[in-house]
Amino acid sequence: MRIGLTAGGLFLGLLLGTTAAAGTVEGRVTLSPTDLSFRGGMKSNAYVGQLSGSAGHSGSMVPSDTTYGVAYLADSSAQGSPAPDPILLDQRGQRFIPRILAVVVGQVVEFRNSDNVFHNVFSYSPPKRFDLGRYPRGKSKRLTFQKPGLVQVFCDIHSDMRADIVVVPSGRFSYVDAQGHFRIDGVPSGKHSIVVWLPRRGERRIEADVPGSGIATVELSAE
Amino acid sequence: MSGRARIAPRISLPVKIAALTSLPILGVMVAALFVVNRRLADEVNLTVAADLSRAALAFENQMAREGENLERVGVVVARDPKFFALLTLPRGDRKDADFHGTLQGVAQDFQRDAETPVFDVTDEHGVVLARAGKPDSSSDVRSHWPLIERAIHGSAGRGYLVEEGRAYRVAVVPIFVDGSLVGTLTLGRPIDSALAERLKATTRSEVVFIVNGRTSIRTALGDGLAARLASTHSSGATRVSDGEERFLALSGHLEGPTSGGTVGFVLLRSLDQETAVLGRIGRDLTAAGAALIVVALLVGILVSSGITRPVRRIVEAASEMRDGNYDFPLDVRSNDEMGTLAAHFEAMRAAQRHEIERLEEIDRMKSDFIAIASHEILTPVTTIRAYADIMGEGTMGAVSDAQREGFRAIRGSAEALSRIARDLTNMSLIDRKRLPVDLKTADVGAIVEEVAVHTVALAAERRQMVSLAIEPELAHPRIDAEYMKKAITNLALNAVRFTRDGGSIEIGARRTGVAIEVYVCDTGIGISKENFEKIFARIVELKDVNLHSSGTTEFNSSGLGLGLSIARGIVEAHEGKIRVESEVGRGSTFTIVIPLPASESADSGDASLRLAS
């Protein structure tokens, strides 16, 4: 793994205005076709329209759900910030949407069933083991995620449904887009470990020296 | 006539014909039954072998289905999120203390639902992660198992597993999540007696699994037979037997890779049960054949006795003919060869009868002639004798000594001539069974004594000893005393004639049971056995004829030889008989047996008792 660092702009940190001395980490991950294809394993369902009752979305990829990973600060230097509002993990068209969800420690996730069929939500992952049981359309259940780590979420009825919840220590995180880009703002100046998690590759750590104001650029290449 | 034996066939004709016609059929039937039985047995062997091959196919199909079912269950389990979600956990998370416990619990839940005693989960490298089933191999890495190796390469497979001497039918499926292999799942169900019984129902055969050379898993089957199966490794159908029942056995190998040991199978089908029906048919055929042979024999005997009846009638008629009966009815009306034979026989019999009658007529004429002639002779002979007497006494004028001697000679010859004439008359009367016996109670002892006295006079000339032995208190039979005296005299005369000078003669009378016996015993020349009958005949061999000695008592002299014939004629007229015992050179005994009337014979026992005391 080769890590390069570059001095970044200062004003972006000011824009966020959370911390007096805050910088930004910009990163780029070289995504291999494998990294991009984790959704491809799913087969398209001809009955999605009927199932979800949301014909407008048709079965196609939800435009907003185009994340391919999560990058976050390994340390919880920004502790003290209040837990953000509950975040939604929807079940629609026999998919979890979004497929990858980053959750800050202490945050509540609302698991909602928007399909016309029963769904179940469970996980065996050590950070959060749970089984919400099966419930019908319109119902939702909430869980608070306290331990950081990866929580793999499944539906025991539909074996193809899968979501990965990445419980991150703080709000300093960013999704990785299709180009492999991510950007974490409000990072206090100093040396930080940045964790990049990709569904196929798991976690990688990159060290970043973030200036008081400006941008630190990190790069993660494919092996 | 008395020595004739009845000539009877040793095997009767109908039996012979029936046997001759039935025996070849019997032989052919026995041969046919034998051949049919052999064919049936061969056919059964072939049929059972073919059935067994089909059974083996059914067996393999069912075992394949068992494997398919396992594989299907495995695929369903492998695709269950509750199951595979565990295997998607990052490697780091698997070190979590709870992980193995959870995995084991989940595996046990699934195992329970899948009803598969064997439930092994490995990771994508073949390292065992969870084991819910019974097999508890010490090794935690199973990647060397062919089926695990196969699954790691992405293909499900079916085969067999032997662990701790127990065999399992197993299926190994790869576990994929999002297109990537995360592990393998091995499901197995035991090869046990229950499976064997299920297979027995399908294959209609006894089923034996041979696991590591042992035959512990099997349907109900004798231990001895099972042990024998374990040691026979021949493929194809072979015959085995447990001493009571015969089986056809077909051994085979189970399809698919086997780990941990060897598994084979043997299908058995009882030949005896299969052949039971055929055996019954064979026995029925044999019984029917036996019944048929009996019926054929009976019918054969009936038919052949019907056909041969004329022959038997002719045989009987011939037999009767020999006894003088020419009237035995032949009663043959068939118009075949038998009819012709009967007709010829009838004609022959008629001709014979005619001839016999003609001869009898001639014989009667001869007897009549003799009777008349001899009677006619007596009158002039009497005159001759009377004049010879008168003239010899000198009544008709003086005669010289020489003349007197001449008259005596004339008188002697005349007497001899009249004796001959009387004999001839008697003989002809006997021939015609017209001897005028006048039966009166008479004292036999007295008659015998009288004859003996007369004989002593004759025997004296020959210096022969004559002794007399008459039992006291002899019963008095009813006889013609004159004729009986003649008969006894004739026997005594014969004795004197055929006994050398100086020999001895015993004359006696005794009672034996129901008869009075009068015997004349001599120490004469004797008679050979073959001549016993001939001596009573009226036929006189010419060389023996010595007319000059007729009526004389010279040694070995012989007259017309009528003496014994007349004696017998007289005795037979009394319904008695003459017995001869003789040995050549030592002497002869002639015995006259005079039967006593029933009333006389009743007290015979007392008489003999008295005699004994």
Side-chain angles (χ1 to χ4, degrees):
Chain A
M1 187 190 299
R2 183 170 57 84
I3 301 163
L5 291 169
T6 324
L10 178 75
F11 63 96
L12 277 166
L14 291 169
L15 274 171
L16 285 159
T18 46
T19 321
T24 296
V25 177
E26 272 191 1
R28 204 177 81 80
V29 182
T30 312
L31 295 175
S32 67
T34 317
D35 293 322
L36 292 165
S37 71
F38 67 95
R39 284 185 178 90
M42 295 188 239
K43 52 190 183 219
S44 60
N45 194 324
Y47 305 99
V48 164
Q50 291 173 13
L51 284 167
S52 63
S54 49
H57 291 105
S58 128
S60 62
M61 193 73 70
V62 178
S64 63
D65 190 20
T66 54
T67 57
Y68 290 86
V70 178
Y72 59 93
L73 247 60
D75 53 90
S76 50
S77 55
Q79 256 181 359
S81 56
D85 293 334
I87 187 166
L88 179 70
L89 185 64
D90 201 2
Q91 286 168 294
R92 196 192 308 154
Q94 289 200 35
R95 289 175 207 283
F96 282 107
I97 293 168
R99 169 71 172 78
I100 296 168
L101 180 67
V103 174
V104 180
V105 167
Q107 192 174 10
V108 172
V109 176
E110 181 176 339
F111 296 92
R112 190 163 71 198
N113 181 359
S114 300
D115 273 342
N116 283 334
V117 296
F118 271 79
H119 281 304
N120 158 277
V121 187
F122 79 94
S123 176
Y124 288 136
S125 296
K128 186 72 181 177
R129 283 200 187 157
F130 63 91
D131 190 342
L132 299 178
R134 297 176 182 184
Y135 48 93
R137 177 190 173 92
K139 247 189 122 177
S140 55
K141 290 190 178 179
R142 292 182 172 204
L143 279 178
T144 309
F145 289 80
Q146 299 290 6
K147 274 167 80 180
L150 173 67
V151 176
Q152 295 175 335
V153 178
F154 299 88
C155 163
D156 75 355
I157 301 170
H158 303 99
S159 59
D160 290 338
M161 289 174 68
R162 168 121 181 233
D164 291 318
I165 295 174
V166 183
V167 184
V168 298
S170 67
R172 307 290 170 261
F173 70 89
S174 164
Y175 289 104
V176 178
D177 69 13
Q179 282 72 46
H181 291 153
F182 61 85
R183 180 195 168 98
I184 307 169
D185 293 321
V187 181
S189 61
K191 286 189 185 256
H192 293 283
S193 278
I194 291 161
V195 178
V196 176
W197 175 87
L198 299 174
R200 295 278 191 211
R201 272 196 255 175
E203 291 177 350
R204 297 290 154 85
R205 274 170 188 264
I206 318 166
E207 299 304 316
D209 195 359
V210 182
S213 64
I215 298 167
T217 306
V218 293
E219 214 167 292
L220 191 63
S221 69
E223 267 119 297
Chain B
M1 295 289 267
S2 62
R4 198 178 61 187
R6 191 173 169 83
I7 302 163
R10 259 179 302 176
I11 305 168
S12 83
L13 207 51
V15 172
K16 202 169 177 177
I17 291 171
L20 281 175
T21 49
S22 302
L23 281 176
I25 296 169
L26 180 106
V28 168
M29 264 179 92
V30 167
L33 276 174
F34 184 73
V35 169
V36 164
N37 272 329
R38 277 286 296 276
R39 290 256 167 88
L40 283 177
D42 288 349
E43 191 58 38
V44 163
N45 273 355
L46 283 175
T47 310
V48 173
D51 274 4
L52 215 48
S53 300
R54 276 196 290 278
L57 216 60
F59 177 92
E60 280 159 11
N61 283 341
Q62 191 170 342
M63 289 305 280
R65 270 200 302 283
E66 299 269 335
E68 281 166 25
N69 284 339
L70 276 173
E71 191 180 319
R72 250 196 301 279
V73 171
V75 168
V76 168
V77 170
R79 281 168 63 178
D80 194 306
K82 283 266 167 113
F83 178 73
F84 70 70
L86 277 163
L87 299 172
T88 62
L89 291 177
R91 214 147 269 283
D93 290 344
R94 292 184 189 178
K95 294 195 172 61
D96 179 81
D98 277 349
F99 171 74
H100 282 288
T102 308
L103 185 51
Q104 192 70 23
V106 167
Q108 275 164 8
D109 284 351
F110 275 101
Q111 185 217 2
R112 214 172 12 257
D113 290 343
E115 294 174 330
T116 55
V118 176
F119 195 97
D120 277 14
V121 185
T122 74
D123 68 6
E124 68 271 32
H125 304 297
V127 176
V128 176
L129 294 175
R131 197 181 279 138
K134 281 163 195 160
D136 203 37
S137 168
S138 53
S139 167
D140 275 344
V141 178
R142 287 189 167 164
S143 55
H144 60 277
W145 286 4
L147 285 169
I148 299 278
E149 200 176 2
R150 217 179 127 114
I152 288 169
H153 286 92
S155 315
R158 303 187 288 264
Y160 299 89
L161 173 64
V162 181
E163 273 189 355
E164 290 165 3
R166 306 190 61 177
Y168 299 86
R169 180 85 179 99
V170 294
V172 184
V173 292
I175 307 168
F176 282 103
V177 178
D178 291 347
S180 6
L181 182 89
V182 296
T184 70
L185 172 63
T186 305
L187 297 183
R189 287 191 180 127
I191 290 174
D192 53 11
S193 304
L195 174 66
E197 289 296 339
R198 282 206 303 282
L199 286 163
K200 180 185 178 177
T202 313
T203 59
R204 297 200 302 113
S205 308
E206 301 296 333
V207 177
V208 180
F209 283 103
I210 302 179
V211 179
N212 285 347
R214 289 176 58 233
T215 56
S216 47
I217 300 151
R218 56 178 193 252
T219 50
L221 204 65
D223 286 333
L225 189 59
R228 202 162 310 158
L229 289 174
S231 57
T232 55
H233 288 296
S234 58
S235 55
T238 47
R239 268 174 187 244
V240 287
S241 168
D242 64 353
E244 284 175 16
E245 227 177 338
R246 294 173 308 134
F247 293 89
L248 203 61
L250 186 71
S251 53
H253 298 286
L254 292 167
E255 212 178 317
T258 305
S259 302
T262 58
V263 187
F265 70 90
V266 180
L267 296 183
L268 289 152
R269 198 166 280 190
S270 166
L271 275 173
D272 293 340
Q273 278 173 24
E274 300 284 332
T275 54
V277 172
L278 291 171
R280 228 170 14 249
I281 291 171
R283 276 196 296 281
D284 289 351
L285 275 176
T286 310
L292 219 63
I293 286 159
V294 169
V295 169
L297 267 173
L298 286 177
V299 170
I301 287 171
L302 279 175
V303 168
S304 61
S305 69
I307 290 169
T308 56
R309 187 185 152 277
V311 173
R312 279 177 293 123
R313 292 294 290 187
I314 290 167
V315 167
E316 272 179 80
S319 183
E320 287 289 319
M321 206 170 114
R322 230 181 79 169
D323 291 339
N325 177 13
Y326 290 79
D327 294 321
F328 186 82
L330 283 178
D331 201 19
V332 175
R333 280 182 291 274
S334 61
N335 47 12
D336 53 12
E337 283 87 342
M338 290 296 175
T340 313
L341 176 63
H344 281 309
F345 181 83
E346 188 74 74
M348 218 170 70
R349 188 167 72 170
Q352 178 87 1
R353 179 184 210 158
H354 182 72
E355 185 66 17
I356 295 286
E357 280 169 354
R358 203 174 62 83
L359 288 173
E360 277 174 355
E361 177 64 20
I362 289 167
D363 195 46
R364 200 175 62 245
M365 282 165 69
K366 177 209 74 183
S367 293
D368 288 350
F369 173 77
I370 288 170
I372 293 162
S374 56
H375 189 75
E376 288 301 315
I377 285 167
L378 277 176
T379 315
V381 166
T382 306
T383 311
I384 291 168
R385 202 176 59 181
Y387 275 105
D389 275 353
I390 295 163
M391 287 167 81
E393 285 163 10
T395 316
M396 295 183 74
V399 286
S400 66
D401 285 350
Q403 280 170 330
R404 195 175 292 119
E405 194 61 31
F407 283 125
R408 211 169 29 237
I410 288 167
R411 187 179 182 278
S413 293
E415 270 176 9
L417 192 57
S418 67
R419 208 162 45 237
I420 287 166
R422 271 198 303 278
D423 279 355
L424 285 172
T425 306
N426 283 336
M427 202 62 240
S428 69
L429 287 171
I430 287 165
D431 276 352
R432 286 184 284 169
K433 300 189 195 311
R434 277 195 225 149
L435 199 66
V437 283
D438 184 12
L439 298 179
K440 282 182 187 133
T441 305
D443 183 357
V444 178
I447 296 168
V448 171
E449 206 175 328
E450 199 179 326
V451 173
V453 168
H454 180 61
T455 307
V456 167
L458 295 172
E461 294 171 24
R462 304 277 311 281
R463 300 192 313 280
Q464 290 166 333
M465 278 282 295
V466 175
S467 50
L468 182 65
I470 299 165
E471 274 181 15
E473 296 179 48
L474 269 179
H476 290 197
R478 283 171 64 79
I479 52 171
D480 184 309
E482 278 307 307
Y483 274 121
M484 191 51 73
K485 183 176 162 187
K486 179 154 186 65
I488 298 165
T489 303
N490 282 359
L491 295 184
L493 275 173
N494 263 359
V496 173
R497 265 189 211 135
F498 295 105
T499 301
R500 291 172 203 282
D501 293 5
S504 56
I505 292 160
E506 184 181 322
I507 300 170
R510 63 193 169 206
R511 173 160 182 178
T512 57
V514 293
I516 298 287
E517 287 189 356
V518 177
Y519 63 91
V520 178
C521 180
D522 65 44
T523 57
I525 56 171
I527 310 147
S528 61
K529 242 186 179 73
E530 59 267 27
N531 288 331
F532 277 5
E533 190 64 26
K534 209 189 265 179
I535 53 170
F536 291 101
R538 286 174 294 144
I539 299 154
V540 179
E541 290 182 32
L542 281 176
K543 72 175 175 75
D544 291 335
V545 173
N546 180 358
L547 283 173
H548 296 290
S549 63
S550 178
T552 68
T553 55
E554 283 167 48
F555 177 63
N556 227 356
S557 65
S558 150
L560 282 171
L562 292 175
L564 280 175
S565 300
I566 289 166
R568 178 151 88 177
I570 290 165
V571 172
E572 281 174 359
H574 285 81
E575 287 167 357
K577 59 190 176 192
I578 292 187
R579 199 166 67 222
V580 189
E581 290 137 288
S582 181
E583 201 177 325
V584 175
R586 304 205 52 166
S588 312
T589 302
F590 286 78
T591 307
I592 293 169
V593 182
I594 307 160
L596 287 170
S599 58
E600 282 289 345
S601 56
D603 57 31
S604 63
D606 294 357
S608 45
L609 269 176
R610 275 198 301 278
L611 201 68
S613 62

